[in-house]
Every structure is written in C-alpha cells, then in structure tokens.
Amino acid sequence: MPKTFYIETFGCQMNVHDSEKVRGMLETRGYSKVPTPDEAGMLLYNTCSIRDKAEQKVFSRLAGLKRKVGGKTVGVLGCVAQHNGEDIFDHAPHVDFVCGSASYTSLPAILDRVEAGESRVTGLALDTDETFDVPSVERDRPYSAYITIIEGCDKECTYCVVPFTRGPERSRASESVMREARDLEARGYTEITLLGQTVNSYRDPSPAGWSFARLLDEIGRLPRIRRVRFTTSHPADFTPDIVQAIDRNESLCDWVHLPVQSGSTDVLRGMQRTYSRDEYLRCIDMLKGADRTIELSTDIIVGFPGETERDFEKTLSLLDEVQYASVFSFKYSPRRGTAAAEMPQVPEEEKSRRLLVLQEHQRRIQLRRNTALIGGLQEALVEGRKERFDQWVGRTTQNRVLNFTDPSGLAGERDLRGRYCQVRVTASGPNSLVGELADAVSQPGFQGLHILN
Ligand code: SAH
Ligand code: SF4
Ligand code: F3S
C-alpha cells in the first residue's frame, strides 16, 4: 500500500507552519499527502488547546473517527498532544501515537516504532535543544512563507496554556533565519511572515547578537521580498527601534498585531500581562507616529476572572481610542494548570453578553473605517479565487481582505494567485473590501511582479 497521509490543522499560524514542517519530513520519508481522510493510510491531527472549545473540537474529531479508522494509523500532534499526553489514549484508544509541539524532531523515530507495529507511542519531551533548521519544509503556498524565529514563551500570563504546550522561550540564530529567508527569496517567494508567540522578544543567541529590529532590517532589505510581516508581538517588548525599522523598510507591511487582552489595568494585572493600559497606549502612539499609516489589530479576552462591568467598559473605550482594523475576541476559557482557572469566575451568560457587545461595538468601528477606503487604490497580494462570484481574493499590506473582479479583462486568462495587483476599492463591509482590478502602477525597487509589466 502506498504511504499516504492526511493532516488537519487546528490553532494558530505556528501550528499551520508546524504542519508544513511535518509534511516535509513525511514526504522525505516517502509519504505523500492526500486531501481527504478516506484516501489516507495515516491520519494526523495537529491540535490546539488554547480554549476549551478548541480542545473539544479535537476530541470530537477523534471520537468521530472511531468506527472508520480500520487499519489506518492515527497520530495526534501539537498542543493538545503536549498538554494531555498519554491521557489521549484513554479518551481515544484508536490513536497510535501522540507527539507534542516541542518534539517534532523526534517524529521520524516515533514513526519507526509505529511502522514496526508498536502502539501508544509518545514523544512528549519539551525538546529545547532543537536547531531550527528543519531539513525540508513543504509549504502550502508557493509565494508566501512562514519562518519560525522564536519558539515557546517565557511570559506567565495567568490564563494561558502556551508556556506548557510549547515550552520555554528560545530564539533562533540570525544566520539560520537569514539562510532560510534567502533560500525562499531565491525560490520565488515574495512574502515572509516571521513567527513566534512573542515574536518581538527575539534575541539572537549567536555572537552576532542581533536585536529583533536588526533582523527586520536585514529581512526587509532582501530585494525580491516585497512583503514582510511578523506575529505575534507582545506589548512589553515593543520597542521604538521596531517602528524605526518599519519606517526604514517599505517592504515591512503597514500592519502590526498587538494583543492587548483588556483595556483595564486591574484586569491586566490579574492576567500578569506586565503592562498597564497607559503603557500599552504609549506603544500605540509610537506606531501611530510612524511615517506610514500602520493598521493595528489585537486580541481581547472578555470575562477574565474578576472583570467588572467597569473594567469591560474600559475595554470598549480602548477600542474607540485605538480604532483597530480588526479584533479577535474570545470569552475567557479556564485552562487546566493555569493560575486564573483557580480564581472566582465570571458567569458564562455574562461572558457571552460581553462578547456580543464588544463584537458589535468593533463591527461599527470597522464598518466606518472600511467605508472610508472606498474609491482609493490598494495593492493586493492574491491568495485565492472565489469561482462562484468570479472574484479574486487578495490581502492588502494593511492585512485587509480585498475581493476583486476584473471587469475590463486586464488580466486575461492569467492565474493571479501569488501576484500583486492594483485594485480600486468599490465597496466595503466590516470585515473586507470589494474592488476592481485597475491599471498596475509599478513601484520602484521591485521588478517583474505586477501583472501588467
Ligand atoms: N502569544 C500571543 C497569543 C497567544 S494565543 C500573545 O501573547 O498575544 C492567542 C490569543 O488567544 C491570546 O492573545 C488570547 O487573546 C487568547 N487566549 C489565550 N488563552 C486564552 C484563554 N484561556 N481563554 C480565552 N482566550 C485565550
Ligand atoms: Fe500565552 Fe502570554 Fe505567552 Fe502569549 S505571552 S503565549 S498569551 S503566556
Ligand atoms: Fe493553539 Fe498551541 Fe497555537 S494552543 S493557539 S496551537 S500555540
């Protein structure tokens, strides 16, 4: 039987990229990836345990498999694997192996054992000695690439499982990051996203000793890399030199994701976020003082233990003050082993109410801000196609989704995926823009990327 695998990924971009690493590793071993579980000899689930819902999704997926797996190998990877370990076998006895997010380097050894017929194989060490040089990564998209620059997390936010699932913080040597970036550039990638749970806490461990801002400068200078993003930044480590690097390098995107979690200093203290509302707002002022307009997005948790109505109102007023382009908001979800899970909880209905209020509040902000963009030109990197609407799906440098048509037939029959296009915005909603392909305006310093030159 040919060696085939199916992989489903839950969770954040770090998990998405880990799945690309796993795919590379498996393909080197003679496996090939198939698009549905039915066709596959091995089923892999790369899991997330950030909130209870995410974890439940994984367990219900595993429970649903029970009757169907006959003869297939099942592996659980990622954060649930790391956090729940061998308990997974009790929940889902048809699982053959679990391999945590910090143990991917031992995946080949795990597979040796599974292929030899062993069951209940585990790889759960928080292997902090890994080099970041994964021999082969099979990326999902041929134009946009993630690069891990820092793994794990040393912050101690009282609600969060990540330090348990991904282990302590460790940065990757700058030379290794640059090698991967240059290689991607040579292979035609034009967008790079630097990844880390606290990406801006990056400190080069090699004698070169680069700061995060220096790394941004060096990646930003690669001539054929048109867009550089980085996520996720932690406000406590957001230093002015990062904004200066953005000012210096046009390829650093006009977008920063800076999770605030709450607008109330009291709640931030309970969360151990290590900054106050005012300190956070000083970071925002710094970003608003940049040469270009940097759009901002954030994460918010409502109903953290002890959050009062007044605290919650402070979060709403922070939204008014910052005017984010987008907000990811969540109800606080108690996680096993974290300090906040032991604190007095806000009732579930109250959390649900606050979430709705917050989302409606932010929806109005986004609607107003997106409406102001109608009539203008935006550059979109095309990521997909909605055949049904005859639309291309792109993303602007400010990380807005921009769906557009080509009414004048400027692109002909060309597949625009991976191309940069100039688009005239014609309409907008709270979460995306709509537009029409316009004449391309070439930008100095970049060659051969626009569809019309
Ligand atoms: N390292 C990043 C993001 C971590 S997880 C950071 O520090 O910002 C992504 C988001 O999930 C967090 O920003 C937070 O808003 C949310 N989150 C984390 N733990 C959570 C929990 N227990 N309940 C609800 N939301 C949570
Ligand atoms: Fe979790 Fe806080 Fe670390 Fe982010 S900074 S991963 S929220 S502990
Ligand atoms: Fe989830 Fe793990 Fe990412 S818990 S959010 S997949 S780091």
Side-chain angles (χ1 to χ4, degrees):
M1 182 177 168
K3 297 206 286 189
T4 50
F5 73 98
Y6 164 82
I7 187 163
E8 183 172 357
T9 308
F10 303 83
C12 62
Q13 280 132 319
M14 273 140 267
N15 256 19
V16 171
H17 187 39
D18 286 344
S19 289
E20 295 179 329
K21 294 177 191 170
V22 168
R23 178 177 166 197
M25 211 178 277
L26 288 172
E27 293 189 352
T28 327
R29 240 182 127 83
Y31 283 85
S32 51
K33 186 178 159 186
V34 291
T36 65
D38 290 343
E39 304 161 61
M42 177 159 68
L43 309 178
L44 298 176
Y45 297 89
N46 192 5
T47 61
C48 171
S49 50
I50 199 78
R51 285 167 291 274
D52 189 52
K53 237 195 214 159
E55 192 175 303
Q56 289 317 319
K57 214 193 258 174
V58 172
F59 282 111
S60 71
R61 187 71 91 252
L62 292 176
L65 280 178
K66 208 184 233 158
R67 280 169 287 111
K68 298 192 279 186
V69 283
K72 296 184 200 282
T73 305
V74 180
V76 178
L77 315 173
C79 290
V80 175
Q82 192 71 50
H83 202 45
N84 300 48
E86 297 182 4
D87 291 352
I88 293 175
F89 298 127
D90 300 334
H91 264 80
H94 50 293
V95 170
D96 297 288
F97 69 93
V98 298
C99 173
S101 19
S103 309
Y104 289 127
T105 40
S106 53
L107 191 57
I110 293 175
L111 285 176
D112 284 341
R113 292 168 58 191
V114 173
E115 285 169 5
E118 240 183 277
S119 59
R120 295 194 159 208
V121 180
T122 55
L124 297 169
L126 281 175
D127 172 8
T128 50
D129 294 331
E130 88 258 44
T131 73
F132 286 83
D133 294 301
V134 183
S136 51
V137 180
E138 279 302 324
R139 291 186 160 83
D140 297 336
R141 297 176 296 182
Y143 49 88
S144 178
Y146 293 126
I147 300 183
T148 311
I149 66 161
I150 177 169
E151 258 292 359
C153 181
D154 272 357
K155 309 279 187 221
E156 294 176 328
C157 304
T158 53
Y159 51 81
C160 184
V161 290
V162 172
F164 302 98
T165 65
R166 295 200 164 247
E169 179 188 297
R170 56 254 184 229
S171 288
R172 175 176 181 179
S174 55
E175 190 194 305
S176 164
V177 176
M178 292 310 294
R179 203 182 313 123
E180 187 168 8
R182 284 194 206 99
D183 175 58
L184 289 164
E185 184 191 27
R187 284 158 51 206
Y189 286 83
T190 60
E191 182 179 65
I192 284 179
T193 302
L194 304 176
L195 287 184
Q197 284 297 344
T198 54
V199 73
N200 57 323
S201 311
Y202 176 84
R203 291 291 167 273
D204 182 5
S206 75
W210 289 4
S211 64
F212 177 60
R214 171 78 191 273
L215 186 69
L216 287 180
D217 264 330
E218 298 288 341
I219 304 246
R221 272 190 215 126
L222 296 174
R224 281 168 292 159
I225 299 297
R226 192 180 180 86
R227 286 187 177 180
V228 181
R229 301 183 188 277
F230 53 90
T231 193
T232 294
S233 298
H234 193 288
D237 296 329
F238 209 89
T239 44
D241 57 350
I242 300 173
V243 182
Q244 288 152 13
I246 296 176
D247 282 344
R248 274 193 295 270
N249 297 282
E250 209 186 327
S251 61
L252 295 186
C253 284
D254 304 357
W255 168 69
V256 169
H257 183 62
L258 197 62
V260 63
Q261 314 300 356
S262 168
S264 152
T265 297
D266 289 342
V267 173
L268 290 171
R269 200 173 298 127
M271 291 176 164
Q272 279 187 45
R273 283 293 286 181
T274 72
Y275 52 83
S276 63
R277 176 192 174 104
D278 287 346
E279 282 163 339
Y280 179 86
L281 286 172
R282 278 204 281 281
C283 284
I284 298 293
D285 282 346
M286 217 155 68
L287 281 156
K288 288 191 172 166
D291 295 344
R292 282 168 277 149
T293 304
I294 310 293
E295 286 291 352
L296 301 160
S297 59
T298 200
D299 294 345
I300 288 189
I301 297 177
V302 298
F304 181 80
E307 184 189 70
T308 62
E309 188 61 26
R310 279 205 55 194
D311 291 320
F312 174 62
E313 280 163 11
K314 286 184 184 156
T315 299
L316 297 180
S317 78
L318 185 99
L319 298 185
D320 293 332
E321 220 170 304
V322 180
Q323 297 282 307
Y324 294 105
S326 69
V327 170
F328 300 89
S329 50
F330 314 100
K331 285 192 274 184
Y332 167 69
S333 168
R335 310 309 292 133
R336 182 168 51 83
T338 61
E342 310 301 322
M343 301 174 185
Q345 303 291 313
V346 172
E348 193 58 32
E349 319 78 77
E350 185 53 23
K351 287 196 258 186
S352 302
R353 189 191 67 79
R354 288 181 194 171
L355 187 68
L356 280 177
V357 170
L358 181 125
Q359 288 178 342
E360 178 52 26
H361 196 92
Q362 177 61 21
R363 199 185 72 85
R364 284 199 296 267
I365 293 178
Q366 287 175 208
L367 202 56
R368 192 178 59 245
R369 301 211 51 222
N370 288 350
T371 306
L373 298 172
I374 295 175
L377 271 180
Q378 297 272 334
E379 184 193 79
L381 165 56
V382 182
E383 296 178 345
R385 169 127 188 112
K386 281 187 193 156
E387 216 51 72
R388 202 150 55 93
F389 302 105
D390 200 20
Q391 266 179 341
W392 296 102
V393 183
R395 201 170 279 276
T396 70
T397 174
Q398 296 177 327
N399 209 36
R400 287 191 174 89
V401 173
L402 173 48
N403 300 308
F404 65 95
T405 51
D406 180 17
S408 319
L410 295 172
E413 293 302 303
R414 264 175 288 206
D415 186 346
L416 297 183
R417 269 170 286 219
R419 310 275 191 136
Y420 294 83
C421 299
Q422 293 291 329
V423 178
R424 175 82 56 199
V425 179
T426 54
S428 68
N431 298 311
S432 61
L433 307 174
V434 177
E436 294 176 352
L437 186 63
D439 279 348
V441 180
S442 63
Q443 224 164 305
F446 297 108
Q447 308 129 12
L449 287 166
H450 282 295
I451 58 146
L452 298 180
N453 60 14

